[in-house]
Each structure stands twice: as structure tokens, then as C-alpha cells.
Amino acid sequence: MSVLSASRTSLLRSCAPAARHARLCLSARGMASAADSQLRKTGLYDFHVQNGAKMVPFAGFSMPLSYGSVGAVASHHHVRNSVGLFDVGHMVQSNFRGPTATAFLEWLTPSSLRSLAPYSSTLSVLLNERGGIIDDTVITKHAEDAYYVVTNAGRRDRDLAWFKERLEEWNAGEKAKAEGKVEHEVLDGWGLLALQGPEAAQYLQGLTSFDLRELTFGKCAFVPIEGFNLHVARGGYTGEDGFEISIPPSQTLEVAQLLSKPPVQLTGLGARDSLRLEAGMCLYGQDLDEDTTPIEAGLTWVIGKERREAGDFIGAEGVRKHLKEGPPRRRVGLTVDGAPARQGAKIFAPSSQEQIGVVTSGIPSPTLGKNIAMAYIQNGWHKKGTEVEVDVRNKLRKAVLTPMPFVPTKYYRG
């Protein structure tokens, strides 16, 4: 997703080192089968093509996989060591406004938004009635009556229909009638750029008078950048320090040009996936879906303590059941011997034919030089250091449960 972190210290709120694997990864998140002419385009499509991008279908959009002769592994290392720029304008950006906006979003999600400080963000989840994850999202609070929300492109139709239905229900209710309704605005056509890497702050600071040291991880502000006044949030999907910048349609190209001068390197989906997996971050459609609760997904921390007790959000019954009884399975990290385990690889108890789990994402880690994977495994087998076996190309390979993130995160906390 956009954006921040999926563990209190690592994961906030998209493929592998080789382009071939990147394409395989992309297919799992709704790689479009339509002709290119039917794909949506971000406002930077021509900019990407002019910069030698290899464009591929992704979540209904034509998006850059890589640029020129620079491969995914080289791009990955450049972001880890310097700074890269990602077009994430395919993501759905929304505003929710109104006197009961906080209460509405606390009904829609299990997050504690009342206690969230203004101009702060949190990773959250939209839940169905069973407690399954409709989408992961980053919610930014501007004020009690104003929120900026980013959701996944691949879930656009499902999310927007869900918002519409729930808003109609909410606005017809007693609280909205007594205190005021909530309005939803989709920022269609707006740009969203992610500047990521250890040199991101130094580069962006050269374009603004705003002291970026005041903008710590999970915070946002409207920042003047070379004459543009833009919404800048500190965070990202790589585990590195960085910023996500929301841009009006008429300004997106100029801002992209400003942000793509050396040492910044344009970076595509291939590197984005390997970076996020090293950081232990989920990809919706692979690591999260509507049959998975946040407890199973290791996202219990996004559920406020008082929210768990009150249970006044959609899907609360299923979530509280897993909190009380423990989930049947848990999301875990693996390091795998030999060949990398890909999505769908089965996990077995050692020296047994008992299947105990399945891999959801897997790559050779460019940073670590090891095969890493994310998986779901039966409760009880989820402790770090546990040895299991993974079926990789019809051969059982040893794997060890490994804490995530695989690569330590480097968020700026002041």
C-alpha cells in the first residue's frame, strides 16, 4: 500500500530481483489481462515512457516495471544506499470530511482515530462483516472532521463501493442526522510520488524552506516545494526513510521532474516488491485478503485497546474471537535454503506429509543474499527459529521461521 508500517516499529503503510519474477508477482495482485489501450494511466505515463520505462499491466494500470538498462536488483540497491523515486499515483486518494468523520471511520476500521494527533498517520484495515481484510489503508488525520485516506489500486472498485454503501447507511443514521453527515471525495487524477532512501531527506530539503527535521515518521504537513504547496507525509513502503507526496493533476509532471534529478533514480515495481518484502510489509492480494483477519496477519497493533473492548466497528465479532481464542494461523517470515519459495509453495512439518502452511510472497533478497519469504502457518508452529520444510519445485527444502522485518527499518523518528 501507500505507505506506513505493519509492525509498530517496521511496517507502515508494491517485484523481485529479476524482471521475470516481477511479472509473476504482479499477476497475483490483479495483473490486468485487458489490452494496453484499456489500462488506466497515471499522470506520469508519458514521463515514464520518455525515461525508458518498461511498462507492464498492474492493478488495472500501465505501470513502470524498470527503467532503461537498470535492472530491479540495481534499483533495489540504489534505494537502500541512496534515493529512488516511485510513481504510486495508481493508489486511490480520498478525503473524508464532516462533523462525524472520526466516528464514521472508527466504525469502518478498528483504529483509534480519536486519539490520533492532527497531521499524523496510521496504518489501518477496512474489514468485512466477518473481520476479513477488505483492504489495508493509511489514514491521515488533519482534524477531527477531516481525513486523508489512501487505499490500494487493485481494490479500487471494492473499496469505493464499500465506502458508498457504508456512507449511505451512516448518513441515514441518528448520529449523522443529529451531529452532521460525512462527505467522501475521491482525488481522481492526483499524483502520488514516493521519494525513498537514506538520501531522500537531504535531496528534498534542498527544494524547500520547511525544516524536514520537524517531520518525523508517521507525520505530515503541507510543504512549499519550489513554489508548489504539497501534502508531504514521512513514511513509505520500503523500510527506508522517505516521503510520500500528493500532487494536484496540473502539477504532477513538474514535481516529478524536480524530484528526479541525480542522485535520485526512477524506480519501478520490480524493486518496489523486493524492498517491501525485506521490510516485512504486506501486499494485498498475496499476503492479505478478505478471508484473513488482522490477528492472523500480525496486524493486531492497528486495533486500539479501547476498540477491542468496545467492539463497535464492522467485523468486531470475528476479530474479538481471534483475539480471545487465538487465530488458527499466523503470518510469519521464512528464510529458505536453496531455491527461493514463491507464492503458493506448500509448507510441511519436518519429516512429515502434514501441510502446515503456505508461502504468500517469496524472493531472493538482494540485500541479504538469502531466500526470504512471507507465509501463513498453523498456530503453534509460528515461533521464531522453528524449522519447517517448503516444497520448492517438487523438492522439500529446509526453512527457518525468521522475525520480520528481514532488513532493519530506518525510519526517521527525530
Side-chain angles (χ1 to χ4, degrees):
M1 131 121 299
S2 159
V3 208
L4 294 176
S5 153
S7 86
R8 202 175 296 274
T9 58
S10 68
L11 185 90
L12 197 53
R13 219 194 177 342
S14 217
C15 220
R20 174 181 169 273
H21 175 56
R23 288 194 290 273
L24 291 173
C25 275
L26 298 178
S27 67
R29 198 180 181 187
M31 188 169 178
S33 59
D36 286 352
S37 60
Q38 295 176 293
L39 294 172
R40 296 170 65 100
K41 297 176 180 178
T42 73
L44 293 175
Y45 176 86
D46 291 339
F47 172 79
H48 296 314
V49 172
Q50 289 164 7
N51 281 279
K54 176 178 175 55
M55 306 300 288
V56 297
F58 179 75
F61 279 77
S62 182
M63 297 294 292
L65 176 68
S66 58
Y67 294 84
S69 61
V70 182
V73 172
S75 289
H76 177 109
H77 288 312
H78 191 82
V79 173
R80 285 274 180 257
N81 296 307
S82 183
V83 54
L85 184 70
F86 302 79
D87 178 11
V88 286
H90 61 306
M91 307 286 282
V92 183
Q93 302 178 70
S94 294
N95 287 321
F96 288 89
R97 298 191 186 95
T100 57
T102 297
F104 171 70
L105 289 172
E106 283 199 335
W107 176 54
L108 218 58
T109 76
S111 295
S112 296
L113 301 177
R114 295 176 198 277
S115 58
L116 189 66
Y119 287 88
S120 297
S121 302
T122 181
L123 181 78
S124 189
V125 284
L126 303 174
L127 301 178
N128 60 30
E129 293 87 347
R130 296 176 288 109
I133 300 171
I134 294 173
D135 203 0
D136 56 326
T137 176
V138 173
I139 299 177
T140 300
K141 182 179 186 176
H142 289 156
E144 289 294 327
D145 61 354
Y147 289 82
Y148 166 68
V149 176
V150 179
T151 50
N152 284 303
R155 300 296 284 168
R156 179 187 179 93
D157 293 345
R158 174 70 165 114
D159 291 346
L160 294 184
W162 184 253
F163 288 148
K164 184 175 185 292
E165 292 166 7
R166 300 288 78 81
L167 264 175
E168 288 174 355
E169 184 178 350
W170 179 265
N171 286 335
E174 294 303 317
K175 188 174 183 68
K177 287 180 179 178
E179 300 177 29
K181 296 182 178 182
V182 178
E183 295 180 350
H184 176 215
E185 175 192 19
V186 180
L187 300 175
D188 264 335
W190 280 56
L192 189 62
L193 290 170
L195 188 69
Q196 300 282 298
E199 296 181 1
Q202 180 181 352
Y203 184 90
L204 190 60
Q205 189 64 77
L207 300 175
T208 181
S209 58
F210 184 98
D211 187 352
L212 294 174
R213 291 174 298 182
E214 297 176 12
L215 202 64
T216 54
F217 177 71
K219 301 292 185 182
C220 67
F222 284 93
V223 174
I225 298 175
E226 295 285 289
F228 302 105
N229 192 42
L230 304 175
H231 186 272
V232 177
R234 198 151 197 166
Y237 198 45
T238 64
E240 297 294 331
D241 183 25
F243 306 87
E244 294 199 333
I245 304 164
S246 179
I247 314 162
S250 63
Q251 302 171 7
T252 302
L253 177 58
E254 287 181 80
V255 174
Q257 291 168 336
L258 275 175
L259 296 178
S260 57
K261 297 184 171 82
V264 178
Q265 189 176 87
L266 296 176
T267 314
L269 294 171
R272 188 168 182 244
D273 195 68
S274 54
L275 290 160
R276 70 92 188 168
L277 186 49
E278 288 187 344
M281 298 185 184
C282 297
L283 178 65
Y284 195 94
Q286 287 185 209
D287 312 307
L288 302 174
D289 58 36
E290 292 211 38
D291 294 319
T292 302
T293 71
I295 315 306
E296 292 174 305
L299 299 176
T300 303
W301 67 270
V302 309
I303 308 169
K305 183 179 179 182
E306 73 282 5
R307 308 302 316 282
R308 303 176 202 184
E309 295 168 355
D312 54 355
F313 55 89
I314 296 170
E317 184 178 351
V319 167
R320 294 169 90 186
K321 177 180 172 65
H322 279 184
L323 281 169
K324 182 179 180 181
E325 301 175 4
R329 59 187 184 135
R330 295 179 185 269
R331 183 171 63 91
V332 297
L334 296 171
T335 53
V336 184
D337 286 354
R342 307 297 192 186
Q343 182 190 19
K346 296 177 181 178
I347 302 170
F348 295 90
S351 304
S352 168
Q353 292 184 341
E354 178 194 2
Q355 184 181 344
I356 56 173
V358 65
V359 170
T360 54
S361 292
I363 58 164
S365 163
T367 302
L368 301 175
K370 300 176 182 178
N371 299 316
I372 61 172
M374 196 179 289
Y376 281 86
I377 201 163
Q378 283 181 20
N379 201 4
W381 286 91
H382 63 282
K383 302 295 173 59
K384 67 179 180 180
T386 300
E387 293 188 3
V388 296
E389 293 180 335
V390 183
D391 184 350
V392 181
R393 300 175 191 166
N394 299 316
K395 182 177 180 180
L396 291 178
R397 298 188 180 274
K398 178 184 172 183
V400 178
L401 269 69
T402 305
M404 295 184 286
F406 298 99
V407 173
T409 55
K410 300 172 185 174
Y411 302 128
Y412 174 74
R413 301 185 186 276

